Structure formats: structure tokens, C-alpha cells
Amino acid sequence: INSSSTTSKTTIQRAITLVRERYEVNRLQFGCWHESTLDALRELIFLYKRLDSAETHATIVKLLQISVLEVITKETLSSRLHSSAIALASIYAAVKLFEHGEELLRQLQCIIIAKNTSFNKEFGLKLDHQVERQSYVFLVTFRETLRGTSSVCYSEMMADLLAETILYESLTQYIDQGADFETIVTHGARLRFFLATRKREYQLKLLDDQLYEIFSTKWISSLKLQKTTTFAFYICVFEELGGQPRGVSISHAACIASNNAVKVLLHQGSFQEAYELAACAFHFIVSQRALYDSQNIGHGFKLSLSMAGRGVGRSPDKKLVALMLKLSQDIIRHVLDACKLSEINFAQLKIEDLNGLVGLFGDQHNFEDLEWLLAQLWNSREVQKTWSQDTIISIGRSLVQARFSYGHHSSAIHLCEDISYNLRWARGYLDAVTLDMYTLLSSLYSSADRHREAMGLHEDILRYTLSDDDEDGEEKIQGCDRPLTARKHLELLKRTYQRLGSWDKSPATYKELFVHLVQAFGSDKLGIEPIEKWSNKSADAMGTYVAPKAWEIANVKVGKRDPRRELIRLSSTWGVPCGWGMNDMSKEGVVY
């Protein structure tokens, strides 16, 4: 019968009856683990295999399963568990039931290690006795033999089983003792990480059901969000927490995990999902007061940046974009409150990070916080040794714009006058940076209906294009093209005249100035009709203040100061009475 020769079905069935009787006798007389018992089982399995039917296949699976269960529930000696595991695994391998063997192992580990009776019903297995840790010898040896791996893996497999057992026992103990939620969640996250890295999918699913119930009941059940969102938040937090060293709080893990998960969704174009996950994370972070821990502030800031669409794609859905911007504002408001309470000095941050924060406030049209931040930076300029002069000037310019955008027109104009005056003395009237600041000042004057002052400013710039008073006296000074500058400010002068409806001085003064400009640069380069033909009505928007579309601190570079271009506030001012603005110098005077 055991040969490869052809044997009738009837003969095989008779042989099965005889071998089965011998197997049962040996099993009762010597025990399920004994070599003679397992030899009889092996012969019996081979006979069933010869019949090669679905019915006999099911019988083989059932017989082997019963034998495995009997061994691990009744035998406690390691040597017997070891030898029987080798014998049974060899039978599985001989009849090509590798997958069945692996699946049985997986099910047994769920039952034995997790000590969860629900697995019994799920898998259709019934363990009549409590299985102790000695059975791990059987489990490891069985897997090693079934896979045909070297004995060098034995210690690793055993350590793995023991580690999993300790993790399960710790979690169960803390739950039974009613430990605090943070402790339960932390131990649950470690177990979850262990199972996930070993691809224990079924155990992982059951554990997720248990932990999610604990997590959501405590922290997120009050949120009116879909379970898919809250469960996604749970997953990302527990994945992060499980992989972190001991001592990391769940709130810190949530800050890290939510940032990473939201960015992934945004890069995938899943904007709705990203928004919902960020909203869930924000509510959790606030409930845990996580932002009042300094290590989490940066993560809060980054989450706000993501919701504002900075550094990532933006949704084509305008309503969703509005919701995301609103959430971004809410997040950064809590971040700032935490920063102020913790007395964090923003001036100590990297200029690149500050640039991102300025851009974020600008995107949100959050001019209140934008003004506050820029004022903090501006007031710290004297102690900044690594900021370049261009960076400091850019901060001042941005502060002017933020104040004006927020409706603080007088203080914005006041500061812009101070900066412009000092740039004039330090760099020259026709320096490109000086002219840019004066152009900004003129737009503030125009938007604040201070047209006479705007007119006077444009007149002075035009006269300086004709003058050699600047120390260089060249046609181009620090990037200034005099004809082009004259043309620009003639256009701006024209708009100011139209807004005011008349000239601030006698018309002859401006006509004479125009003649001198034509003589110096030619009418073609000026490109504008004579003053006599200017209408004093219907000015367009040219020359009025327009808030930047993209807010940033320009020239974000560091470098040494150039003492030859330091700006010192003098006792006299240009265009205003002596002493103007001196009372405010402790805060806003330009002393670089």
C-alpha cells in the first residue's frame, strides 16, 4: 500500500480502518505525543491522501488539527512538545498542507497569547485546558520545521512569542485594574506596533476594535465627525505612538502623526479627507492642551501651514478652501496663545521659519497677528547679529503694510516716514530701496486721502532726479535709472493731481519742473503729455495702496552688517517739523 503501485480503493479503505484502530490504541496507551502514535498518524494520513478526494482532504485537515490541539493542551514536557512538533510539522509538509499549518499556528497564537476566548468561536477551535507558556516550544518548533528554517531562528522566534505575551498581559492587566487612559493607550499602541510589524492582520483588527473604542469614548466621541475620519486619526496616532520611545505622550504623538498624515493626503489630492483629519486632530490637540508643550508648537504651526495650502496643493473647491483657511486660522490662534503664555521669543526663530509664518498670516488675512509678529521682529532688530540689512528693511516694510492693511493708518504712515527718512540719509535719495520705500509711502498717503503730502513727495523725487546732490551724481545710482524714475513719478504725480483736484503749489512751479525734466531726459523717455493737458478728474487706482498678494520677508539671508550703510535717526526730519516722531524712537526708530 505504501508503494507507488496501483492499489484499489477498497484495499486502501480496509487499510485505513486497520491503521486508524492502531493509531487510537497507541494514542490511549502511550499518549498523543508518543513516537508510535505519531508514526501511526503519519501512515493514516498518507492512506487518506491516496484516496485524493475533497472528503478525505477535510478528514486529513481535521485529524492533524485534533492532534496538534491535543498535544499542546495535554503535554507539558518541553522535550515531548519539541519532538511531537517536529513529527506533526513533517506530516503537514509531506502532504503539502503548508498554508493550513501556518493558519493553524496563527490561530493558536491568537488563542494562547491573547487569551481571548472569542477566537475559539471565530476559528472553530476548542481548547479544553488552559495552555501554559511551555506550549511555545511546540509553536516555535512547529513553525521552524514547517518552514524548513535553520535552528538559529529558534531563539528569535521564542523571544518574539514571549515579547508578544508580555505586551498582551500588560495591556490586559492595566485595563482590568482600571488604569488611567494614557497608560492603557500607550501599552495598547506598543502592542499594536508589534503586531503590525509582524503582519498579524487578524489580531491587529481585533485589537484596533478594542483600542479604538477606548480611545474614541475618552477623547473623540463628542466630535460630530464620520467614523472613517476618527478611525483614520486613531490609526495615525497609534502608529506614531507605538513606534516612539517610552515616555512620549499621546498628545505629542498626535501632533507629529496628524501633520504627516495630512501632508500625505494633500499630496495625494485628497483635500476633503485631509481637512477632516486635520479638524479631528486639532480638536484633540486642543483638548489635551498639547500646544502648551513647547515641543508641539512647531507641529501646530506646520498643521496650520498645510491647511493654508502653503507648500502643498490647494483644492479646486473654493468652499473647501475657505473651510481649510478658517481651520488654519483657528490652529494658529491657539499656537500664538501658547507661544505668548510660554513667553517664546519669535525673534530667535530662523528667518526662513519666520518668513513662513508671515506668509501664513498674510494668506489668512490675519493682519492683527501679522502686525503683532512683525512688531516683535522689528523691535528686536538691534540685537540681531545675523540678519542682513535688507532683511531688516523688509521686516519694516512688511510691518508698515500689515498696519495699514489692519486699519492702523496713522501708525503705518508714521513708521514708513521714519524708515524712508533714514534710508534717504544712509543710502541716498535715488537708491533703489529708498525709492521703493518712498513709493510705498506715497501710496499710503493717497489711500489715506493725504494727497498734498503725496504730491510733495513725488515733486521732491522728481527734483532729485535732476540733482547731483547725491554722493554719486551718476545717472544710475544703486540701480536707479533716472529717466525711468522720473517717468514713473510723473505718472504718480498726475494721479495725485487728479485726486486732489488742484495743485498744492502754484501751477507754474510744476510746469517749470516738467520743462526741466524734458530738457534733462527728453520727452520720448518721459512718455507723458505736458502738464497743461492733464485733467484734474477721474484718477485711476495707480499709486494707491494695494496689499501684497504673497506676504513674505524678502531677502531672507544672513550676513554681516555693513557699517558704511548703517541708518541713524537724526534730530531733524525731512518734510516735517523738527522733533517729529522722536517720542516713538525707542520702539520704531531706525537704528541698524
Side-chain angles (χ1 to χ4, degrees), residues 51-71:
L51 294 177
D52 193 23
S53 67
E55 183 181 352
T56 56
H57 176 79
T59 302
I60 291 172
V61 172
K62 187 67 175 178
L63 274 172
L64 288 173
Q65 180 177 293
I66 290 173
S67 297
V68 169
L69 295 180
E70 191 173 19
V71 170

mmCIF file of all heavy atoms in Angstrom, residues 51-71:
data_model
loop_
_atom_site.group_PDB
_atom_site.id
_atom_site.type_symbol
_atom_site.label_atom_id
_atom_site.label_comp_id
_atom_site.label_asym_id
_atom_site.label_seq_id
_atom_site.Cartn_x
_atom_site.Cartn_y
_atom_site.Cartn_z
ATOM 1 N N LEU A 51 -6.483 8.400 -1.474
ATOM 2 C CA LEU A 51 -7.857 8.448 -1.993
ATOM 3 C C LEU A 51 -8.125 9.735 -2.765
ATOM 4 O O LEU A 51 -8.981 9.775 -3.664
ATOM 5 C CB LEU A 51 -8.863 8.288 -0.852
ATOM 6 C CG LEU A 51 -8.853 6.926 -0.150
ATOM 7 C CD1 LEU A 51 -9.842 6.918 1.006
ATOM 8 C CD2 LEU A 51 -9.199 5.806 -1.142
ATOM 9 N N ASP A 52 -7.458 10.805 -2.379
ATOM 10 C CA ASP A 52 -7.459 12.063 -3.147
ATOM 11 C C ASP A 52 -8.866 12.577 -3.474
ATOM 12 O O ASP A 52 -9.256 12.703 -4.636
ATOM 13 C CB ASP A 52 -6.665 11.883 -4.433
ATOM 14 C CG ASP A 52 -6.371 13.232 -5.108
ATOM 15 O OD1 ASP A 52 -6.383 14.255 -4.375
ATOM 16 O OD2 ASP A 52 -6.139 13.266 -6.326
ATOM 17 N N SER A 53 -9.665 12.829 -2.430
ATOM 18 C CA SER A 53 -10.993 13.421 -2.625
ATOM 19 C C SER A 53 -11.162 14.589 -1.659
ATOM 20 O O SER A 53 -10.381 14.755 -0.701
ATOM 21 C CB SER A 53 -12.085 12.374 -2.364
ATOM 22 O OG SER A 53 -12.096 11.996 -0.987
ATOM 23 N N ALA A 54 -12.185 15.408 -1.923
ATOM 24 C CA ALA A 54 -12.445 16.549 -1.041
ATOM 25 C C ALA A 54 -12.776 16.077 0.368
ATOM 26 O O ALA A 54 -12.375 16.698 1.369
ATOM 27 C CB ALA A 54 -13.594 17.381 -1.606
ATOM 28 N N GLU A 55 -13.485 14.961 0.453
ATOM 29 C CA GLU A 55 -13.880 14.431 1.763
ATOM 30 C C GLU A 55 -12.650 13.977 2.559
ATOM 31 O O GLU A 55 -12.507 14.269 3.748
ATOM 32 C CB GLU A 55 -14.843 13.275 1.578
ATOM 33 C CG GLU A 55 -15.358 12.698 2.897
ATOM 34 C CD GLU A 55 -16.308 11.536 2.680
ATOM 35 O OE1 GLU A 55 -16.684 11.272 1.510
ATOM 36 O OE2 GLU A 55 -16.683 10.893 3.674
ATOM 37 N N THR A 56 -11.757 13.243 1.887
ATOM 38 C CA THR A 56 -10.564 12.769 2.586
ATOM 39 C C THR A 56 -9.610 13.919 2.921
ATOM 40 O O THR A 56 -8.914 13.874 3.937
ATOM 41 C CB THR A 56 -9.830 11.725 1.741
ATOM 42 O OG1 THR A 56 -9.512 12.286 0.453
ATOM 43 C CG2 THR A 56 -10.681 10.475 1.572
ATOM 44 N N HIS A 57 -9.598 14.942 2.077
ATOM 45 C CA HIS A 57 -8.769 16.123 2.374
ATOM 46 C C HIS A 57 -9.242 16.788 3.670
ATOM 47 O O HIS A 57 -8.419 17.150 4.543
ATOM 48 C CB HIS A 57 -8.838 17.120 1.220
ATOM 49 C CG HIS A 57 -8.094 18.397 1.486
ATOM 50 N ND1 HIS A 57 -6.726 18.507 1.362
ATOM 51 C CD2 HIS A 57 -8.534 19.626 1.904
ATOM 52 C CE1 HIS A 57 -6.357 19.727 1.674
ATOM 53 N NE2 HIS A 57 -7.432 20.439 2.001
ATOM 54 N N ALA A 58 -10.561 16.921 3.819
ATOM 55 C CA ALA A 58 -11.126 17.511 5.038
ATOM 56 C C ALA A 58 -10.810 16.645 6.250
ATOM 57 O O ALA A 58 -10.538 17.146 7.349
ATOM 58 C CB ALA A 58 -12.632 17.683 4.883
ATOM 59 N N THR A 59 -10.824 15.321 6.039
ATOM 60 C CA THR A 59 -10.511 14.409 7.142
ATOM 61 C C THR A 59 -9.061 14.559 7.580
ATOM 62 O O THR A 59 -8.747 14.562 8.786
ATOM 63 C CB THR A 59 -10.770 12.949 6.705
ATOM 64 O OG1 THR A 59 -12.134 12.809 6.310
ATOM 65 C CG2 THR A 59 -10.466 11.991 7.839
ATOM 66 N N ILE A 60 -8.164 14.705 6.618
ATOM 67 C CA ILE A 60 -6.741 14.906 6.928
ATOM 68 C C ILE A 60 -6.535 16.166 7.752
ATOM 69 O O ILE A 60 -5.838 16.162 8.782
ATOM 70 C CB ILE A 60 -5.923 14.975 5.621
ATOM 71 C CG1 ILE A 60 -5.895 13.614 4.930
ATOM 72 C CG2 ILE A 60 -4.508 15.454 5.904
ATOM 73 C CD1 ILE A 60 -5.281 13.645 3.535
ATOM 74 N N VAL A 61 -7.150 17.266 7.290
ATOM 75 C CA VAL A 61 -7.018 18.544 7.994
ATOM 76 C C VAL A 61 -7.543 18.411 9.422
ATOM 77 O O VAL A 61 -6.923 18.892 10.380
ATOM 78 C CB VAL A 61 -7.761 19.664 7.231
ATOM 79 C CG1 VAL A 61 -7.802 20.943 8.055
ATOM 80 C CG2 VAL A 61 -7.096 19.921 5.887
ATOM 81 N N LYS A 62 -8.685 17.724 9.565
ATOM 82 C CA LYS A 62 -9.308 17.585 10.878
ATOM 83 C C LYS A 62 -8.450 16.740 11.814
ATOM 84 O O LYS A 62 -8.248 17.069 12.987
ATOM 85 C CB LYS A 62 -10.694 16.954 10.714
ATOM 86 C CG LYS A 62 -11.513 16.916 11.996
ATOM 87 C CD LYS A 62 -11.893 18.314 12.437
ATOM 88 C CE LYS A 62 -12.811 18.281 13.639
ATOM 89 N NZ LYS A 62 -13.165 19.636 14.116
ATOM 90 N N LEU A 63 -7.926 15.610 11.310
ATOM 91 C CA LEU A 63 -7.098 14.727 12.120
ATOM 92 C C LEU A 63 -5.835 15.444 12.619
ATOM 93 O O LEU A 63 -5.455 15.333 13.791
ATOM 94 C CB LEU A 63 -6.700 13.496 11.300
ATOM 95 C CG LEU A 63 -7.676 12.316 11.291
ATOM 96 C CD1 LEU A 63 -7.232 11.259 10.284
ATOM 97 C CD2 LEU A 63 -7.803 11.714 12.684
ATOM 98 N N LEU A 64 -5.188 16.141 11.726
ATOM 99 C CA LEU A 64 -3.963 16.848 12.096
ATOM 100 C C LEU A 64 -4.260 17.950 13.118
ATOM 101 O O LEU A 64 -3.499 18.154 14.074
ATOM 102 C CB LEU A 64 -3.304 17.434 10.846
ATOM 103 C CG LEU A 64 -2.647 16.412 9.911
ATOM 104 C CD1 LEU A 64 -2.175 17.100 8.629
ATOM 105 C CD2 LEU A 64 -1.462 15.725 10.599
ATOM 106 N N GLN A 65 -5.341 18.656 12.904
ATOM 107 C CA GLN A 65 -5.704 19.733 13.836
ATOM 108 C C GLN A 65 -5.975 19.175 15.232
ATOM 109 O O GLN A 65 -5.509 19.729 16.235
ATOM 110 C CB GLN A 65 -6.937 20.473 13.310
ATOM 111 C CG GLN A 65 -7.406 21.609 14.205
ATOM 112 C CD GLN A 65 -8.595 22.350 13.603
ATOM 113 O OE1 GLN A 65 -8.451 23.004 12.583
ATOM 114 N NE2 GLN A 65 -9.753 22.234 14.210
ATOM 115 N N ILE A 66 -6.715 18.058 15.294
ATOM 116 C CA ILE A 66 -7.018 17.450 16.589
ATOM 117 C C ILE A 66 -5.740 17.021 17.300
ATOM 118 O O ILE A 66 -5.571 17.211 18.509
ATOM 119 C CB ILE A 66 -7.960 16.244 16.389
ATOM 120 C CG1 ILE A 66 -9.347 16.724 15.959
ATOM 121 C CG2 ILE A 66 -8.055 15.409 17.665
ATOM 122 C CD1 ILE A 66 -10.290 15.594 15.565
ATOM 123 N N SER A 67 -4.830 16.460 16.537
ATOM 124 C CA SER A 67 -3.575 16.003 17.124
ATOM 125 C C SER A 67 -2.764 17.164 17.689
ATOM 126 O O SER A 67 -2.208 17.078 18.788
ATOM 127 C CB SER A 67 -2.751 15.252 16.070
ATOM 128 O OG SER A 67 -3.431 14.102 15.630
ATOM 129 N N VAL A 68 -2.687 18.261 16.935
ATOM 130 C CA VAL A 68 -1.951 19.434 17.399
ATOM 131 C C VAL A 68 -2.568 19.988 18.674
ATOM 132 O O VAL A 68 -1.863 20.280 19.654
ATOM 133 C CB VAL A 68 -1.914 20.517 16.295
ATOM 134 C CG1 VAL A 68 -1.391 21.836 16.863
ATOM 135 C CG2 VAL A 68 -1.044 20.060 15.135
ATOM 136 N N LEU A 69 -3.875 20.126 18.690
ATOM 137 C CA LEU A 69 -4.554 20.672 19.866
ATOM 138 C C LEU A 69 -4.367 19.770 21.091
ATOM 139 O O LEU A 69 -4.183 20.250 22.217
ATOM 140 C CB LEU A 69 -6.048 20.853 19.583
ATOM 141 C CG LEU A 69 -6.425 21.884 18.507
ATOM 142 C CD1 LEU A 69 -7.941 21.937 18.338
ATOM 143 C CD2 LEU A 69 -5.905 23.257 18.871
ATOM 144 N N GLU A 70 -4.409 18.464 20.839
ATOM 145 C CA GLU A 70 -4.268 17.531 21.952
ATOM 146 C C GLU A 70 -2.877 17.618 22.563
ATOM 147 O O GLU A 70 -2.715 17.583 23.786
ATOM 148 C CB GLU A 70 -4.543 16.103 21.455
ATOM 149 C CG GLU A 70 -4.679 15.099 22.582
ATOM 150 C CD GLU A 70 -5.117 13.735 22.082
ATOM 151 O OE1 GLU A 70 -4.966 13.459 20.868
ATOM 152 O OE2 GLU A 70 -5.623 12.953 22.902
ATOM 153 N N VAL A 71 -1.881 17.726 21.713
ATOM 154 C CA VAL A 71 -0.508 17.805 22.210
ATOM 155 C C VAL A 71 -0.300 19.058 23.055
ATOM 156 O O VAL A 71 0.237 19.000 24.170
ATOM 157 C CB VAL A 71 0.496 17.764 21.037
ATOM 158 C CG1 VAL A 71 1.902 18.104 21.539
ATOM 159 C CG2 VAL A 71 0.503 16.391 20.381
#
